Amino acid sequence: IGGDISSDAHLEVSAGGSSGANIFLLSSDDDNDGDIFTVTEAGKVGIGSTTPSATLTVAGTSTITGTTT
């Protein structure tokens, strides 16, 4: 979709023409759109959340190792 004919990565998803839409969904089945992973057009990412309210929203338990800033 669109005019970008040269890929910048192995997988590139480009959104165009919609407003406020989800641009990428990873779902456990057809009835649970985005229940595993969601990326919105606004750049918000949800892991275990279909409606991320921050830049990164995680629903469930998480483990972070290393230094965070």
Side-chain angles (χ1 to χ4, degrees), residues 5-60:
I5 59 171
S6 61
S7 63
D8 301 316
H10 291 287
L11 173 64
E12 179 179 2
V13 178
S14 299
S18 59
S19 177
N22 294 323
I23 60 172
F24 185 82
L25 300 173
L26 181 60
S27 309
S28 59
D29 61 44
D30 291 340
D31 295 325
N32 294 309
D33 293 343
D35 66 323
I36 295 173
F37 188 83
T38 300
V39 179
T40 70
E41 189 175 59
K44 295 179 180 178
V45 174
I47 300 173
S49 171
T50 58
T51 54
S53 58
T55 302
L56 176 62
T57 300
V58 178

